[in-house]
């Protein structure tokens, strides 16, 4: 099958349209966030061409908003890189989860998944496909969500870049951007661990606000990661694995093999005596 035919099949797949509908609810918040980020990039002194290049290539709103103030005040390059890397550490976790669904795809497609991946896409995808095993409708669903999210970000972001000098600061776009971020953030809080990590990060960011070069962001990230790892360790200690008795000549099913690898099941095999 040619690439054009494969793209056409993906666009016509019902899961592609389902994903677009699922993402429509957050598209307004993503668009407001992108508009504010585009305006901020130009207002901070970034040339229009470089701002458009950054929006298209970096495509990471939280990282862009984190490093733009540092670039504006002339922070050392290592601080800029470290801040962006810390802010985007969550994508390492996302990629480990995507592996269960997309490891069978060619490298070029996996690289494309990595570029288009995003927080809201991840949440919508995991709600739709909680079981970590490949299914035919997963690829069309991902591209439906990714296309909607990409357009919802890039169109307002580039519009904000081009119209930045015509948008007065009195419009309060900064506050609108905060509200948009809060809306996206709340959609990502789905269990006790994420709520705890968010509370710890907010507390640490406020407590370290006086640090120079916006280093309170790094402090907040480090505190949130530590809190998340602590919660995971506590949950693992409380969770007792299930014992499963297997006949001597039986083969462990794939589902139970995954549970064994995750530490949820401990298999005990019967011994055969002469």
């Amino acid at each position: 099958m040619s690439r054009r035919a494969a793209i056409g099949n993906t666009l016509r797949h019902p899961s592609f349209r389902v994903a677009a509908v699922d993402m429509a609810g957050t598209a307004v918040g993503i668009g407001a966030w992108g508009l504010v980020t585009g305006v901020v990039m130009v207002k901070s002194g970034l040339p229009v061409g470089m701002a458009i290049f950054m929006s298209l290539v970096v495509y990471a709103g939280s990282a862009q908003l984190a490093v733009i103030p540092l670039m504006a005040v002339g922070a050392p390059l290592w601080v800029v890189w470290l801040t962006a890397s810390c802010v985007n550490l969550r994508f390492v976790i996302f990629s480990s989860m995507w592996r269960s669904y997309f490891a069978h795809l060619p490298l070029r497609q996996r690289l494309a998944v990595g570029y288009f991946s995003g927080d809201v896409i991840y949440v919508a995808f995991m709600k739709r496909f909680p079981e970590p095993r490949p299914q035919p409708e997963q690829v069309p669903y991902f591209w439906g969500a990714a296309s909607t999210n990409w357009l919802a970000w890039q169109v307002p972001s580039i519009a904000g870049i081009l119209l930045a000098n015509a948008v007065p600061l009195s419009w309060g776009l900064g506050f609108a951007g905060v509200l948009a971020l809060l809306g996206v953030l709340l959609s990502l809080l789905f269990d006790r661990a994420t709520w705890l990590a968010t509370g710890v990060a907010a507390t640490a960011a406020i407590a370290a606000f006086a640090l120079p070069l916006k280093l309170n962001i790094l402090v907040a990230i480090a505190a949130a990661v530590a809190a998340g790892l602590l919660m995971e360790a506590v949950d693992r200690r409380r969770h007792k694995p299930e014992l499963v008795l297997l006949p001597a000549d039986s083969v462990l099913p794939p589902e139970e093999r995954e549970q064994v690898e995750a530490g949820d099941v401990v298999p005990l095999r019967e011994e055969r005596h002469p």
Side-chain angles (χ1 to χ4, degrees):
M1 182 184 298
S2 66
R3 185 182 304 178
R4 181 176 298 179
I7 294 175
N9 290 337
T10 299
L11 295 176
R12 290 189 296 268
H13 198 283
S15 294
F16 186 93
R17 295 189 293 271
V18 170
V21 173
D22 289 346
M23 294 296 296
T26 59
V28 176
I30 295 293
W33 184 7
L35 177 66
V36 171
T37 304
V39 172
V40 169
M41 283 194 288
V42 176
K43 294 287 188 182
S44 300
L46 206 63
V48 172
M50 184 59 66
I52 294 177
F53 177 81
M54 185 177 187
S55 179
L56 293 173
V57 175
V58 177
Y59 184 41
S62 54
Q64 290 173 233
L65 288 177
V67 303
I68 287 171
L70 300 177
M71 296 169 63
V73 299
L77 186 59
W78 70 268
V79 175
V80 176
W81 279 101
L82 182 60
T83 301
S85 300
C86 290
V87 171
N88 284 337
L89 276 176
R90 67 193 186 280
F91 286 102
V92 177
I93 301 175
F94 293 168
S95 64
S96 67
M97 298 300 295
W98 292 129
R99 178 183 174 88
S100 302
Y101 301 91
F102 301 131
H104 64 284
L105 297 177
L107 176 61
R108 180 164 46 187
Q109 295 186 33
R110 282 182 278 133
L111 291 175
V113 168
Y115 168 77
F116 284 98
S117 176
D119 305 271
V120 183
I121 300 172
Y122 174 81
V123 173
F125 187 94
M126 292 303 168
K127 286 182 179 179
R128 183 69 61 172
F129 304 103
E131 294 295 328
R133 62 174 184 271
Q135 298 177 28
E137 61 270 21
Q138 289 172 350
V139 172
Y141 184 91
F142 175 86
W143 287 118
S147 301
T148 305
N149 192 78
W150 191 86
L151 291 173
W153 172 267
Q154 296 294 354
V155 173
S157 178
I158 294 176
I161 293 170
L162 298 177
L163 302 175
N165 294 324
V167 177
L169 297 177
S170 59
W171 283 11
L173 287 180
F175 182 67
V178 172
L179 293 180
L181 284 174
L182 286 176
V184 175
L185 172 65
L186 291 176
S187 68
L188 303 176
L189 303 180
F190 51 87
D191 58 13
R192 183 177 59 179
T194 54
W195 278 99
L196 176 64
T198 301
V200 170
T203 303
I206 295 173
F209 185 77
L211 292 177
L213 300 177
K214 303 289 184 179
L215 291 177
N216 61 319
I217 297 176
L218 297 182
V219 173
I221 293 170
V225 171
L229 292 176
L230 180 61
M231 278 288 296
E232 184 179 357
V234 171
D235 288 342
R236 285 184 177 178
R237 182 164 296 183
R238 289 179 177 177
H239 176 68
K240 296 182 180 179
E242 179 185 356
L243 297 178
V244 177
L245 184 62
L246 300 175
D249 298 328
S250 67
V251 178
L252 199 64
E255 296 82 5
E256 293 186 359
R257 192 180 303 118
E258 293 178 359
Q259 294 177 338
V260 170
E261 295 175 355
D264 297 329
V265 171
V266 176
L268 296 178
R269 191 175 296 276
E270 294 178 341
E271 296 183 2
R272 174 175 292 178
H273 297 281

